[in-house]
């Protein structure tokens, strides 16, 4: 059974740097043969601020956008979340998208590619706390992209050569952990 990894573009802001970053992640991932990768753009799901009556942990979704989002997330064995850092945390759009669901995240691996003035480190620390609550196994390796060194004029993405190595290590860990967690998801490894 093929391991499926979703690369989630966690920004919906006009002119977002995340689009170039997520495409870079996908281009590197698509060259691999150990998993199937898909780029998932939050803009394609039009998730409003939480509008479900029930708790996500109950899994009783009623809104068409939630059902579509749940189906997409459930189809993956692991994730790479591409996140900006806004005010020492992840984007509101990514946090909202995460909060819509519960069981669809459980027993899967997650890695992070972040960007910001100090590489988005604080956004990832924020997401690691959230991951634990959702039974997402966050991998150790991550990619931290600096707006000062990996972007020209803070907007044109030009990652340093060393960033590809960090990305490959992160992808290795996400794929390995996704496979290791397969029995907990009731899937053959």
């Amino acid at each position: 059974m093929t391991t499926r990894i979703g690369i989630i573009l966690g920004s919906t802001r006009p002119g977002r740097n995340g689009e170039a970053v997520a495409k870079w992640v996908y281009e590197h991932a698509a060259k691999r043969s150990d998993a199937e990768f898909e780029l998932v753009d939050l803009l394609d799901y039009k998730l409003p601020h939480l509008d479900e009556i029930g708790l996500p942990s109950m899994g009783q979704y009623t809104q068409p956008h939630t059902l579509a989002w749940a189906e997409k997330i459930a189809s993956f064995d692991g994730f790479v979340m591409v996140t900006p850092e806004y005010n020492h945390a992840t984007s509101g759009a990514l946090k909202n998208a995460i909060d819509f669901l519960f069981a669809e995240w459980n027993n899967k691996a997650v890695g992070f590619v972040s960007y910001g003035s100090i590489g988005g480190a604080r956004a990832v620390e924020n997401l690691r706390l959230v991951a634990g609550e959702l039974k997402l196994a966050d991998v150790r390796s991550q990619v931290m992209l600096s707006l000062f060194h990996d972007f020209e004029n803070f907007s044109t993405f030009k990652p340093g050569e060393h960033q590809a190595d960090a990305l490959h290590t992160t992808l290795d860990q996400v794929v390995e952990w996704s496979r290791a967690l397969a029995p907990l998801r009731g899937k053959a490894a």
Side-chain angles (χ1 to χ4, degrees), residues 134-147:
L134 295 171
K135 298 196 293 184
L136 273 166
D138 58 309
V139 302
R140 181 178 185 273
S141 183
Q142 69 186 68
V143 181
M144 295 186 299
L145 301 162
S146 167
L147 288 175

Side-chain angles (χ1 to χ4, degrees), residues 25-85:
V25 171
Y26 178 75
E27 287 167 4
H28 281 271
K31 295 174 185 171
R32 299 171 64 104
S33 61
D34 58 349
E36 179 182 307
F37 296 87
E38 182 179 335
L39 184 55
V40 180
D41 189 339
L42 292 183
L43 277 178
D44 295 336
Y45 289 87
K46 309 289 186 227
L47 296 168
H49 192 68
L50 292 174
D51 65 346
E52 289 286 346
I53 295 170
L55 297 172
S57 60
M58 301 302 288
Q60 299 171 341
Y61 310 132
T62 60
Q63 301 295 332
H65 52 264
T66 309
L67 294 167
W69 180 237
E71 181 180 2
K72 178 53 68 180
I73 295 305
S75 75
F76 296 112
D77 300 300
F79 307 95
V80 174
M81 293 185 183
V82 176
T83 182
E85 182 176 308

Side-chain angles (χ1 to χ4, degrees), residues 119-180:
R122 296 169 295 200
V124 171
E125 290 307 308
N126 174 252
L127 285 168
R128 288 185 191 280
L129 293 171
V130 173
E133 181 63 21
L134 295 171
K135 298 196 293 184
L136 273 166
D138 58 309
V139 302
R140 181 178 185 273
S141 183
Q142 69 186 68
V143 181
M144 295 186 299
L145 301 162
S146 167
L147 288 175
F148 296 99
H149 303 291
D150 295 303
F151 293 84
E152 187 175 278
N153 297 319
F154 302 103
S155 60
T156 303
F157 184 50
K158 294 190 175 182
E161 289 182 26
H162 67 285
Q163 298 292 13
D165 291 337
L167 176 59
H168 288 293
T169 301
T170 300
L171 292 172
D172 287 345
Q173 291 178 9
V174 169
V175 171
E176 290 166 1
W177 282 50
S178 295
R179 287 188 180 145

